[in-house]
Amino acid sequence: MVVTTESVPQWFSELFAHRRWIRRVQPFPHVYARDVFVPEFYQRLTDQLDRVRRERPEIFGPIAEGYSADGIRLAELRDGPLAVFTSREWHNLVAQLGGVEATGDIEGSVHHHAPGSPFGWPHNDLNPAWFHGEPPGPDEVRVPDGTVDTKTGAHAPDVVARETVRAVAVLFYLGNPGWAPGDGGETALYDHVADGNALPSVTLVPPLDNSLVLFEVTPRSWHTFAGNNAKDRNSVVMWVHRTRADAEQRWGGDRIVHW
């Protein structure tokens, strides 16, 4: 497949090393790319991550209860190169590749798994997410700002909360130099969740620096962190969103997994 960047600003198009990414159908449809950004920009991304971890360690914390990674929200990283992941241009590219009509809302974090982190659990990411205010305009994005609980929608009486559903997931790997087969920490993709009759087909996506995997969030986009990593494992994990009505029309309201 060819990534289309002709209609975006020149500054954004020039970040990419090439436009040929791979669309794969097994174990569920997803896009995979190596050498996503030009080396100079990729180095700036890792430099910012290293600087933030060194100078502001207090802003890293547990991602979620029972989850083995710590991290920092992308909303806290909008003053440097990592802000590319909360740009409208990136949002639109992700939505295009996922084949969805997205709302302009972005949720995500930089995740860090320490060596020896345990295997995760298969999940499909088909979850709701709440954002503050009206939908963003065509050149804007909305990120969580603390006024609305992203998972539950809880908010103060004078705050407007708007429900969306995760539509496209992206995992971009960075800060993992020298990764080699056997080092662990891959992302496992499954064709189904084991039901006792047939074992799932598994594809392991390696956490190679400057690579990504991207997929539409569906009832069958089963995946997890494969664990057993010999070294630190870092990634950007993010989603763009669709309206609740769109998700219900496409999948049915009973398929949306509430927290």
Side-chain angles (χ1 to χ4, degrees):
M1 64 174 293
V2 177
V3 177
T4 302
T5 56
E6 286 83 354
S7 61
V8 301
Q10 183 176 359
W11 70 264
F12 185 70
S13 180
E14 290 178 349
L15 299 181
F16 295 91
H18 58 87
R19 296 182 180 180
R20 295 192 177 275
W21 295 5
I22 302 170
R23 189 179 294 277
R24 306 192 291 202
V25 298
Q26 297 295 332
F28 58 81
H30 63 279
V31 172
Y32 179 68
R34 293 276 305 274
D35 301 320
V36 174
F37 296 112
V38 295
E40 296 80 5
F41 185 69
Y42 172 74
Q43 186 62 52
R44 291 176 60 201
L45 294 173
T46 59
D47 287 348
Q48 184 186 4
L49 177 59
D50 290 343
R51 184 172 61 254
V52 171
R53 289 194 65 88
R54 183 177 63 253
E55 298 177 358
R56 302 181 64 194
E58 74 281 356
I59 63 176
F60 281 79
I63 296 297
E65 184 178 355
Y67 192 62
S68 61
D70 65 2
I72 178 174
R73 297 189 308 162
L74 292 177
E76 303 287 342
L77 299 170
R78 305 195 72 190
D79 60 351
L82 287 164
V84 69
F85 296 111
T86 52
S87 68
R88 185 70 194 208
E89 290 79 8
W90 180 259
H91 167 281
N92 291 351
L93 176 62
V94 170
Q96 170 203 332
L97 292 172
V100 306
E101 183 175 347
T103 59
D105 302 292
I106 294 174
E107 170 198 2
S109 305
V110 178
H111 290 193
H112 168 253
H113 286 87
S117 293
F119 203 98
W121 62 92
H123 55 285
N124 61 18
D125 279 358
L126 191 58
N127 311 119
W130 279 262
F131 292 86
H132 171 231
E134 299 299 321
D139 297 321
E140 302 172 333
V141 295
R142 187 70 44 79
V143 298
D145 62 3
T147 62
V148 176
D149 188 293
T150 308
K151 291 185 176 181
T152 68
H155 58 88
D158 60 340
V159 172
V160 174
R162 174 173 46 86
E163 185 180 7
T164 68
V165 176
R166 289 173 172 175
V168 185
V170 182
L171 291 92
F172 174 78
Y173 306 99
L174 77 168
N176 308 306
W179 186 92
D183 285 345
E186 298 96 336
T187 299
L189 311 181
Y190 302 91
D191 63 345
H192 71 282
V193 177
D195 57 8
N197 297 317
L199 294 176
S201 172
V202 182
T203 295
L204 294 177
V205 179
L208 295 170
D209 280 348
N210 202 14
S211 70
L212 66 73
V213 60
L214 175 156
F215 50 86
E216 183 183 10
V217 174
T218 77
R220 59 181 293 259
S221 55
W222 299 107
H223 63 283
T224 194
F225 171 63
N228 197 33
N229 48 310
K231 306 174 182 177
D232 288 334
R233 191 267 213 178
N234 298 290
S235 60
V236 172
V237 181
M238 61 159 294
W239 300 266
V240 302
H241 300 75
R242 62 199 334 150
T243 64
R244 172 85 189 203
D246 183 22
E248 289 184 346
Q249 181 178 22
R250 185 159 174 77
W251 311 119
D254 61 330
R255 307 301 292 275
I256 298 171
V257 182
H258 288 264
W259 303 99

